[in-house]
Amino acid sequence: MLTLYGHVNPLSINTLKVRVALAEVNAEFRYQPVDLAKGEQHRAEFVALNPYAKIPLLVDDDFILAESDAIMWYLAETFAPARLLGTTPRERARTLQWCDFVSTGLYPAYYDLYLHTVSNAPDKRLPTIAESATKRLARSLGVLEPLLGKQETLTGQFSIADLSAAVVVRNIQDRLPFDVAAHPHLLAWYARVTTRGPWQAAMAAAAH
Amino acid sequence: MSIRIHYSPLSQHSRRVRVAAMELGLDIDWRLIDFAKGENRAAEYLQKNPAGKVPTLDDDGLVLWESNAIMAYLADKKPQANLYPTDARARAQVNQWLFWESAHFGVAAITLTWERVMKQAFMQQPADPALVAQGERDWSRYAAILNGQLEGREYVAGALSIADFALASIVVHREAAGIDMKPYRHLQNWVDRMEARDSFQKTKPPF
Ligand SMILES: N[C@@H](CCC(=O)N[C@@H](CS)C(=O)NCC(=O)O)C(=O)O
Ligand SMILES: N[C@@H](CCC(=O)N[C@@H](CS)C(=O)NCC(=O)O)C(=O)O
C-alpha cells in the first residue's frame, strides 16, 4: 500500500504534482497530511522517515522516497513507464532534462518571486531578489513559449515533466502579480494538461 | 560520430559531467564555451540550449542540457558501471539525491559561492548580506542532512553514483566561499575521498 505524506492543502504545489501523478498511474494511496505551520515536518517520527524534513514523501511498504520529481519518476517507472517517461533512452533523457529545467529554473524563479512579493512579511521582501526572480521567470517562460508553439508537450509526448511545469504555471497564475497572457502557447499547453482526466480527478479528490 | 559536449572549465555543472564521462570511460568531443566572449548567448548556441547555460550535449542529433540529465544519459550508455542503477528503487534513491542537490543543497552552496566569490570576481559587486545570511542558514540545515547520510556510508546512495558527482562538485569553492565544513566530519571526509579520485583531479577548475 502506498502512503503519501503531503501538505494539509492537497493543492500545494509539490504535493499536487505527486497527487496528479498518482492519478495518472491510477494507484490507490493513503494520504497523511503534515502540518508545516505546526512544524510537524521536524517531529522525530517524521524525520525518522525523511531526514530532509520536507514533504511530499512517499512510502511504499518498506521503501521510502522524498523529492517530488523522484517520486513521480518512481511511480511512472513502476506503473506506466512507456506512457509517462518515454521508451527510448533519448525520450527518457528529455523527460529528465525538462524535470531538471523546472526544478532548477522555472520553479525557483517562481518561488523567489512569490516569497519576495507576496508571502514574506513586507520588511522581509528583498527588492533585489524580486527583480532577479522576475528576470529569471521571464527567461524560463521564454524558453517554454516557442517550444510549446512547435509541439504539444515539453518532450514531444506527455510525461511527468508536463506535470512538474504545469503546477508551477498554475501557481504563477494564482499567486503572482505576473502576467502570463503574453505566452499563448504556454497557456494552450496548460489547458491541455489540466483538462486531462487524472488532473481533473486529482483536483476533485482534493476538494473533499 | 562521438558525443559532443559544450562546457566551461569554470562551471561546476560542467565539471560533474566531465567527471561522469571520465568515470564511465566515454570518449567525448569536448567543446569549450567562452563566457567572456558571450558564446553561451550566441544565436547558434541558444538554438541548442535556449537556456544559454553550460553544459549541453549533442549525441548525433540528440541535444540535451541540464547537467544531471546529461550524467544520467551518459551513465545509461554503460549500465555495467552501475553509476545510475537500473533497478527502479535504487535508481529512485539516486534521483532523490540528484533532485535534492539541485533544489536544496546545491542552491545553498551556489548562493554562498556566487555571493562571496563569483560576484566579486566577474561583476566587481559586493556580496548581498541578506543573501549570504540565507545561504548560511540553508547550508547549515542541508550540510547536516548530508553529513548524517554519509555517517557509516562510503557514498551517498550506498554505492558510488552520479549523485556523488553532483553533490561533491558543487562545493569546490568552499574555502573561498566560507562554506563551513568543520562541523560536518563525514561530509568533509567524503568530499576528500571524491576529490582524490582521478576524475576530480583531472577536472580541477582553473582557480
Ligand atoms: N524539492 C522538494 C521541495 C519540497 C518542499 O519544498 N516542500 C515544502 C512544502 S511544499 C516543505 O516541506 N517545506 C517545509 C520545510 O522546508 O521546512 C520537492 O520537490 O519535493
Ligand atoms: N541546472 C543547470 C545549471 C547550469 C548552469 O547554471 N550553468 C552555468 C555555469 S555553472 C552557466 O552556464 N551560466 C551562464 C548563464 O547563466 O548565463 C545544469 O545543471 O546544467
Side-chain angles (χ1 to χ4, degrees), chain A residues 100-101 104-105 139, chain B residues 8 10-14 16 35 40-41 45 49 51-55 65-70 101-102 110:
Chain A
D100 283 335
F101 168 80
T104 65
R139 189 170 158 187
Chain B
S8 159
L10 297 170
S11 146
Q12 297 101 308
H13 294 98
S14 296
R16 63 180 68 171
F35 290 152
N40 59 316
R41 298 296 168 90
Y45 188 70
N49 181 347
K53 299 190 180 187
V54 291
W65 35 278
E66 286 297 337
S67 56
N68 289 351
I70 296 174
E101 182 274 332
S102 62
I110 291 173

Side-chain angles (χ1 to χ4, degrees), chain B residues 27-41:
Chain B
D27 191 19
I28 308 281
D29 171 14
W30 296 102
R31 298 289 172 107
L32 196 104
I33 293 292
D34 191 341
F35 290 152
K37 292 193 188 135
E39 287 177 354
N40 59 316
R41 298 296 168 90

Side-chain angles (χ1 to χ4, degrees), chain B residues 109-124:
Chain B
I110 291 173
T111 301
L112 293 173
T113 303
W114 175 255
E115 289 302 319
R116 289 201 177 122
V117 186
M118 303 296 177
K119 211 165 153 184
Q120 312 190 15
F122 295 117
M123 306 178 66
Q124 286 82 46

